[in-house]
Amino acid sequence: MSYVMMAIGDGDGSMVGQVRDATASMMTAAGASSIRAGIVQTGPNTGKGFIDTEWASPDDYFDNRANWLGDPEVVKTFQNAGVTSNQVMMSEVTGVRGTCEGRYGIALLQSATDFSQGAIDRLLDAVEGVMIGKGANGLRATRILTGDNAGLAMGVFFVDSLAGYFSNLQTLLADEKVVAAFTESGVVTHRRSIAQFV
């Protein structure tokens, strides 16, 4: 089991790569296994920068967060960008298919009536057969644990081409195994948003 922490900030989103670079070594030392920076391109948080990190334990993130936020170089980077970290969303990873790397992330905010691991695995397996390697590099599924959307699911497709993803989307939504898995778990997609990684 692992956890994703997504810190979203106000300010100059184009500076988020510098924020990542300033904090990455401290986060890695604290236990982060993956560190990504990006800019939200669509939806309510359009224009905001974010840092997406993965951890074996959320304690490691929160026990050490003050270390990088208080570091003089990090503080300077935040000040130069006019960045204020205004929220951290914590989620639990429920499954990964493919490789979670790409130019873009397409996030789907979803509700479901069945969040059992078996239902999640069957849905991910069905989606993998249609999308992974055919419009998406990978898919990471999570259950959101904090914030306004706590209790909902978020699936993120990692893609190199938005055109490639959307050109295969109708095939995904019409696939018999995918439809059956969606029906079984009662999945409803409420919002789709795009982020660009930097």
Side-chain angles (χ1 to χ4, degrees):
M1 183 180 302
S2 60
Y3 298 84
V4 172
M5 303 298 176
M6 180 175 286
I8 302 174
D10 288 325
D12 184 353
S14 68
M15 295 284 286
V16 72
Q18 293 182 39
V19 173
R20 176 204 53 218
D21 294 345
T23 57
S25 63
M26 287 175 277
M27 288 184 178
T28 300
S33 59
S34 173
I35 303 168
R36 299 179 185 89
I39 303 169
V40 180
Q41 302 292 339
T42 65
N45 289 315
T46 296
K48 294 188 179 192
F50 66 89
I51 305 291
D52 174 301
T53 55
E54 295 187 36
W55 303 78
S57 168
D59 296 340
D60 293 337
Y61 175 85
F62 287 109
D63 287 349
N64 291 283
R65 188 167 186 254
N67 293 340
W68 53 80
L69 291 182
D71 180 82
E73 287 301 314
V74 174
V75 170
K76 183 178 178 181
T77 302
F78 271 62
Q79 289 173 341
N80 289 342
V83 168
T84 303
S85 179
N86 61 17
Q87 58 180 297
V88 176
M89 182 182 75
M90 174 178 157
S91 58
E92 176 187 15
V93 177
T94 56
V96 173
R97 298 294 187 275
T99 302
C100 295
E101 300 293 338
R103 290 182 61 205
Y104 300 96
I106 301 171
L108 288 76
L109 184 66
Q110 301 172 316
S111 59
T113 55
D114 185 355
F115 272 127
S116 68
Q117 193 61 50
I120 292 168
D121 289 341
R122 285 187 288 277
L123 178 57
L124 292 177
D125 289 343
V127 171
E128 179 180 22
V130 180
M131 289 298 288
I132 306 306
K134 306 165 192 171
N137 301 327
L139 170 62
R140 181 184 71 196
T142 65
R143 183 177 299 111
I144 301 171
L145 301 176
T146 64
D148 295 340
N149 295 311
L152 297 181
M154 180 172 285
V156 178
F157 284 98
F158 294 83
V159 308
D160 289 321
S161 165
L162 296 174
Y165 169 83
F166 284 106
S167 68
N168 200 32
L169 184 58
Q170 291 308 312
T171 302
L172 173 73
L173 297 177
D175 182 83
E176 289 183 6
K177 290 181 180 178
V178 173
V179 170
F182 267 69
T183 301
E184 175 193 2
S185 56
V187 166
V188 175
T189 299
H190 299 279
R191 186 170 71 233
R192 182 181 287 113
S193 60
I194 297 170
Q196 185 170 9
F197 297 114
V198 298

